[in-house]
Amino acid sequence: GILQHPDGTVLKQLQPPPRGPREQEFYNKVYDSDCCDSILLELREYLPKYFGVWSPPTAPNDTYLKLEDVTCKFNKPCIMDVKIGQKSYDPYASAEKIQQQVSKYPLMEEIGFLVLGMRVYHVSSDSYETQNQHYGRSLTKETVKDGISKFFHNGYCLRKDAIAASIRKIEKILEWFEGQKQLNFYASSLLFVYEGSCQATTVRLSDVTLAEKRGVPKGLLSGGDILEYNNNIHVINSTENGKIEASVSKGLSKFYALHKKAYSKRHHSQLSLKVENLEQGNVWKSSTCITQEHLNGNVIPQLEKVFCHMPAEIKESANVEVRMIDFAHVFPSNTKDEGYIYGLKNLITVLQNILDN
């Protein structure tokens, strides 16, 4: 799954060629400091911010994309990953690959999108419900509306505010697609995030002032421990109390080693919810393992030490995010991306039907 860098970004391991280099090239093109193309400049608004690549000191040939953690400003992030488009294979796919992709979800061409997974916070039980890609593939034309609405239900009520805000954000992305003929996207997703808690809580840190003065990154404990948050997988302990630089360095080495051990040559996308099941990977059953019993992906005693206060004005703007992710199959074009446009329009229609009913 995705690794958390101590500076608050996430690290997505580059896939094998040609997918990995193609995704890196896409990010480099869009975020080129010399870019003056208005289409690409606007596209940045709909992507996670890109901070270049990172390689661990112990394995300089392993490359990770360094990306914004879209979930980090949420207290109880509800997350859904939806693959968009009528085709989940690119124009250069082999007949075998096409058959494989079509058989996974034969309705893709008709529905125009596929739910790859979701993680929903239920206020009533103070717990998360998680659905994987098998849930999305089980949805039919008749059940897709109810299937999507599950993401916006918090156990008490339907979050119509989050649905309405999501529609507005998808419409902006649709507007961009209607106005560009440069790029076609295949097997790319939209990442939805909204605040699941009714009231974002403030967890106090005993030495808040000291932490603020020293600029301790969110997720770094006063004792020097690196604490992952939101939806990533593991907690890494560092050694010396207060030595932030040392703990960051050692933490990176440790979590890189853990990641390599668990990775097992499988490549995942932006969400840890794509990991099939925590129970399937015995490597996570160590003392540093995070299970679903832990609150929001954190060890509860450690969580109590973390300072998560967020000003009210930031909470307001952080209510809903919809970002485009996964760009291993993006190709130059001279026509509109009709498949992606079809998927966006159909998704908007489904969300609007949920609101109307």
Side-chain angles (χ1 to χ4, degrees), residues 112-341:
F113 61 84
L114 167 63
V115 176
L116 290 178
M118 64 174 71
R119 188 170 184 260
V120 190
Y121 177 69
H122 284 184
V123 179
S124 50
S125 58
D126 187 28
S127 63
Y128 282 96
E129 178 188 352
T130 303
Q131 301 289 350
N132 63 19
Q133 56 191 322
H134 301 294
Y135 170 81
R137 288 177 190 157
S138 72
L139 300 178
T140 65
K141 287 181 292 180
E142 293 73 32
T143 62
V144 69
K145 188 182 81 172
D146 291 338
I148 293 276
S149 67
K150 184 188 279 279
F151 174 63
F152 294 99
H153 205 288
N154 66 6
Y156 280 132
C157 64
L158 188 67
R159 287 288 304 276
K160 292 189 173 185
D161 59 325
I163 299 172
S166 296
I167 290 172
R168 288 194 297 271
K169 288 183 180 289
I170 300 170
E171 285 173 341
K172 291 291 291 178
I173 294 172
L174 174 60
E175 224 174 272
W176 181 84
F177 270 92
E178 293 279 22
Q180 71 90 24
K181 295 181 179 180
Q182 293 185 30
L183 299 168
N184 279 6
F185 294 73
Y186 301 91
S188 185
S189 291
L190 286 185
L191 180 71
F192 291 78
V193 190
Y194 72 88
E195 180 55 68
S197 64
C198 297
Q199 185 176 3
T201 55
T202 299
V203 185
R204 302 211 170 270
L205 180 67
S206 55
D207 53 348
V208 166
T209 312
L210 176 64
E212 285 177 332
K213 281 180 181 174
R214 296 177 64 180
V216 178
K218 181 177 176 186
L220 194 60
L221 302 181
S222 57
D225 291 341
I226 300 170
L227 174 65
E228 71 84 32
Y229 53 90
N230 296 331
N231 303 285
N232 302 305
I233 303 258
H234 38 274
V235 168
I236 310 300
N237 295 316
S238 68
T239 50
E240 296 179 53
N241 178 34
K243 295 190 177 177
I244 293 171
E245 293 81 2
S247 73
V248 167
S249 173
K250 291 176 183 177
L252 278 174
S253 300
K254 277 192 181 181
F255 84 34
Y256 171 72
L258 272 179
H259 179 59
K260 289 302 290 181
K261 187 178 178 187
Y263 196 66
S264 304
K265 297 180 182 176
R266 293 180 61 193
H267 295 275
H268 301 283
S269 185
Q270 177 86 5
L271 292 182
S272 60
L273 59 83
K274 285 185 181 176
V275 177
E276 288 292 329
N277 198 318
L278 287 177
E279 284 73 29
Q280 289 178 8
N282 290 330
V283 67
W284 300 119
K285 296 179 190 262
S286 64
S287 59
T288 55
C289 169
I290 296 303
T291 70
Q292 292 174 345
E293 294 151 13
H294 293 96
L295 181 63
N296 195 25
N298 294 308
V299 179
I300 292 170
Q302 287 184 309
L303 183 66
E304 291 168 357
K305 301 188 216 167
V306 181
F307 177 67
C308 308
H309 178 67
M310 195 182 292
E313 62 272 15
I314 296 179
K315 287 177 195 167
E316 285 302 312
S317 63
N319 189 35
V320 174
E321 289 283 0
V322 178
R323 304 286 186 94
M324 296 168 62
I325 59 169
D326 295 343
F327 306 112
H329 302 277
V330 178
F331 295 90
S333 174
N334 53 14
T335 60
K336 282 187 182 181
D337 191 342
E338 297 294 351
Y340 202 104
I341 289 171

